[in-house]
Amino acid sequence: MKTVFSGIQPSGELHLGNYLGAVRNWVALQEQYPSNLFFIADYHVLTQPYDPKALPGRVSEMVLDLLALGIDPDRSLLFLQSSVSQHTELAWVLSNAAGFGDLERMTQFKDKSAHNPEHINAGLFTYPVLQAADILLYKAALVPVGQDQVQHIELTRRIARAFNHRWGATFPEPEVALTNMPKLLGLDGKAKMSKSLDNHIALSLFADPKKLRKRLAKFATDPARVQREDPGNPDVCNIFTMHKAVSSEADLAWVRQGCTTAGIGCVDCKTRLAENLETHLAGFVTKRAELAATPGIVGEVLDAGAVKARVIASETMREVREKLGLWPSR
Ligand code: ADP
Ligand code: TRP
């Protein structure tokens, strides 16, 4: 029985890139696979500066977002990383199967340390080991993530292999599942849309429509369109990429024709995108409002998820302890 596993950090507001690159795949896969686990990676947040007072609220918002987008607690476990202590326990074990040189090569470590040179801690360096523990604890076969996480999943495979080689066959090597939009770009049209690196470059999925339009107005378009009358190439424009996710064939044809002949301006194109995004997201927004008005729902879902996740996690740790030759815990 194949297990699907993935997670998201409660490091900011869920954005269009998270949805198009990962979460919509979680929802699709939960329909196809019998065993699905999704979690909120709160321990990973510690690797970067954050506000502890705001963290519980962020977790709660993220749970509501995920439920609104279609994660169904009857089909999938949804839980909080820090509620299942075996994640950190296995991370220590796996750090003895992870190569130092491999960790040094992680581009996310390099990017985050360059972005925040004041804050290069050992947790940021060993972050992918904790991520490997998250995945291997549930012996996941399939990990739906965006492009930026592929390197971490490849490392997870190497860690699994190294563990199996040293202590005996225990962990399957997980595969990555990507969507057709694994790397949505942010405001400057160059760096990936992100909430943890810089949430000013992201389009929050549940932002007020006025805010969304304002943010979209600042988004870079094809640099060839310096003047309104300059024609452009939609295939190199991030706005068109987003159109492809939410607009009809007729609108895509309208953009292509209008952009390449300068028949429409970038403002027209963005206005249509904003309208289409709002239509596309309307159902999620309504569902989210209903969920947010249901008292206790976040705690109930997380508690139920954690109880079930702990059963799987403790069974894996029992097996791991045995393989390691540790004294049986009672
Ligand atoms: P962020 O980088 O915005 O803080 P996370 O690291 O919590 O987001 O990522 C949650 C999931 O969303 C991961 O699977 C990640 O690969 C995916 N993801 C993040 N940003 C993007 C993006 N711009 N395009 C596609 N997928 C993304
Ligand atoms: N590192 C992932 C991210 O930033 C979040 C994450 C932590 C994760 N553990 C995971 C994703 C395990 C998939 C599987 O997006």
Side-chain angles (χ1 to χ4, degrees), residues 6 12 14 52 95 160 164 210 225 240 274 293:
S6 196
L14 195 140
S95 66
N164 293 344
K210 263 199 215 128
R225 297 206 74 178
F240 190 60

Side-chain angles (χ1 to χ4, degrees), residues 8-9 11-26 62 66 69 145-146 148 179 181 184 192-196 202-203 205:
I8 186 163
Q9 296 188 58
S11 51
E13 291 174 24
L14 195 140
H15 57 74
L16 191 63
N18 298 140
Y19 176 61
L20 296 177
V23 177
R24 78 178 155 150
N25 222 7
W26 303 3
M62 188 60 79
L66 295 176
L69 291 172
V145 284
D148 62 317
T179 69
M181 251 173 234
L184 186 66
K192 87 160 188 102
M193 190 178 282
S194 167
K195 60 183 156 53
S196 48
L203 287 178
L205 216 55

Side-chain angles (χ1 to χ4, degrees), residues 81-275:
Q81 184 180 32
S82 65
S83 300
V84 182
S85 57
Q86 286 85 353
H87 286 250
T88 44
E89 196 179 348
L90 184 59
W92 167 251
V93 173
L94 296 183
S95 66
N96 300 285
F100 190 87
D102 277 343
L103 290 173
E104 271 182 325
R105 273 190 289 279
M106 294 295 112
T107 53
Q108 194 171 82
F109 171 70
K110 291 188 215 163
D111 289 350
K112 287 189 177 170
S113 11
H115 188 75
N116 223 332
E118 309 290 287
H119 223 275
I120 311 177
N121 53 53
L124 188 64
F125 186 69
T126 55
Y127 173 120
V129 180
L130 180 57
Q131 182 160 355
D134 300 332
I135 298 167
L136 299 180
L137 197 49
Y138 304 97
K139 302 191 175 181
L142 206 58
V143 188
V145 284
Q147 185 67 47
D148 62 317
Q149 294 303 315
V150 169
Q151 201 186 26
H152 289 164
I153 313 306
E154 279 165 3
L155 179 63
T156 301
R157 293 168 64 89
R158 277 208 293 286
I159 291 176
R161 218 174 299 148
F163 182 100
N164 293 344
H165 183 71
R166 187 166 167 198
W167 286 293
T170 308
F171 298 116
E173 292 182 31
E175 307 271 349
V176 171
L178 295 178
T179 69
N180 61 354
M181 251 173 234
K183 185 180 174 185
L184 186 66
L185 303 178
L187 193 130
D188 67 358
K190 294 185 184 117
K192 87 160 188 102
M193 190 178 282
S194 167
K195 60 183 156 53
S196 48
L197 272 180
D198 182 356
N199 70 11
H200 300 298
I201 64 170
L203 287 178
S204 299
L205 216 55
F206 293 101
D208 162 68
K210 263 199 215 128
K211 252 185 157 173
L212 190 124
R213 279 169 195 245
K214 256 183 143 173
R215 178 64 59 86
L216 201 54
K218 298 198 184 118
F219 264 60
T221 55
D222 176 4
R225 297 206 74 178
V226 184
Q227 313 276 354
R228 164 70 178 74
E229 47 293 349
D230 294 332
N233 174 7
D235 295 320
V236 299
C237 184
N238 194 23
I239 302 299
F240 190 60
T241 303
M242 292 190 250
H243 264 295
K244 283 194 270 190
V246 296
S247 300
S248 65
E249 287 300 325
D251 273 356
L252 294 180
W254 174 80
V255 173
R256 187 171 287 287
Q257 159 74 11
C259 179
T260 51
T261 59
I264 61 166
C266 294
V267 175
D268 305 317
C269 181
K270 286 178 175 178
T271 305
R272 185 69 61 91
L273 174 61
E275 288 163 4

